[in-house]
Amino acid sequence: NAGVMQNPRHLVRRRGQEARLRCSPMKGHSHVYWYRQLPEEGLKFMVYLQKENIIDESGMPKERFSAEFPKEGPSILRIQQVVRGDSAAYFCASSPSTGNTEAFFGQGTRLTVV
Amino acid sequence: AQSVSQHNHHVILSEAASLELGCNYSYGGTVNLFWYVQYPGQHLQLLLKYFSGDPLVKGIKGFEAEFIKSKFSFNLRKPSVQWSDTAEYFCAVKVGSGGYQKVTFGTGTKLQVIP
């Protein structure tokens, strides 16, 4: 059973470009979470999704950021018109809908905006 | 909405010293509690978890944590740290079940163990 897969591991974008981060949850997991990690700021919740639904996006910036988790395929975190301040590590986690279990994390995508 | 507070942002210890990292949460209902560890350059890995039952939870690598419901706390402990414990530690709380579950993390504590 493969773990949570994120790609790419490293992504370099110029200011103004779009960044697309992908996350394939563990098999059987229907809940996906995205977090952003900045130095000295810990792990900040961004968005919580289930298949085809955004459940909680209270941590997402109102502009330029969007997320989806389609019926087929990975969850996508999209950042449009990136700025230097978007440079961070973005982690995806997944969990099943039932049972007492933890969230499992992917390796993260390190976004660098130049 | 729930929140998690980790009071120590940066802790420096010598090898063999005892460790206690504080974690408090705010949420009035039933919670599941976790401690994750992130070694330099790596992703988060689970250290231990509490769902119900014995409030003293033992995890991997000699770590343990105690859930004190009256204090809304879930402090992490280790009797004797090693250099290899140098990492960042995150406390997390999950609320809800089934159709809605949200996991919230604290800001993390960086532990540096000096040989």
Side-chain angles (χ1 to χ4, degrees):
Chain A
N1 189 7
V4 179
M5 304 299 292
Q6 287 188 252
N7 66 82
R9 292 290 308 278
H10 300 275
L11 181 62
V12 179
R13 284 288 176 267
R14 296 186 188 280
R15 280 178 293 171
Q17 290 185 317
E18 178 180 285
R20 280 184 167 237
L21 289 61
R22 295 175 188 77
C23 169
S24 296
M26 287 182 70
K27 188 177 181 181
H29 287 192
S30 57
H31 296 236
V32 166
Y33 310 84
W34 284 94
Y35 296 87
R36 177 164 62 177
Q37 186 176 33
L38 289 163
E40 310 303 323
E41 291 190 20
L43 211 59
K44 297 278 193 183
F45 167 80
M46 298 183 75
V47 64
Y48 162 33
L49 309 107
Q50 296 177 22
K51 283 286 186 183
E52 299 184 275
N53 286 303
I54 296 175
I55 305 302
D56 185 335
E57 56 182 348
S58 57
M60 287 270 276
K62 293 286 186 276
E63 298 177 353
R64 301 188 297 108
F65 285 73
S66 62
E68 62 177 10
F69 188 17
K71 188 176 180 181
E72 302 290 339
S75 175
I76 306 286
L77 179 68
R78 183 199 297 182
I79 312 172
Q80 296 177 300
Q81 299 174 318
V82 295
V83 301
R84 287 245 172 92
D86 297 332
S87 296
Y90 292 83
F91 287 95
C92 169
S94 73
S95 67
S97 60
T98 59
N100 280 336
T101 185
E102 67 272 24
F104 293 81
F105 278 81
Q107 298 274 0
T109 294
R110 181 159 296 280
L111 171 66
T112 303
V113 180
V114 297
Chain B
Q2 72 272 26
S3 65
V4 181
S5 297
Q6 290 183 243
H7 316 297
N8 314 104
H9 297 294
H10 200 168
V11 173
I12 301 174
L13 293 173
S14 298
E15 275 192 314
S18 65
L19 169 73
E20 181 159 2
L21 301 182
C23 173
N24 287 89
Y25 67 93
S26 64
Y27 186 74
T30 301
V31 296
N32 300 145
L33 297 158
F34 310 88
W35 276 96
Y36 285 83
V37 60
Q38 185 180 32
Y39 298 103
Q42 296 189 26
H43 65 297
L44 275 76
Q45 304 169 44
L46 185 72
L47 264 183
L48 47 80
K49 57 188 175 184
Y50 171 81
F51 289 107
S52 64
D54 189 345
L56 185 61
V57 179
K58 294 196 183 299
I60 61 171
K61 304 186 180 187
F63 286 91
E64 65 178 30
E66 185 174 12
F67 171 46
I68 303 179
K69 190 174 181 180
S70 61
K71 294 184 178 180
F72 297 89
S73 70
F74 190 56
N75 292 355
L76 180 71
R77 299 195 291 251
K78 185 170 183 178
S80 175
V81 294
Q82 301 172 310
W83 177 79
S84 58
D85 293 325
T86 295
E88 190 160 14
Y89 293 81
F90 293 91
C91 180
V93 60
K94 183 172 82 168
V95 301
S97 62
Y100 181 89
Q101 304 172 29
K102 183 174 178 180
V103 184
T104 302
F105 285 82
T107 52
T109 298
K110 287 187 178 175
L111 172 65
Q112 184 179 356
V113 180
I114 301 170

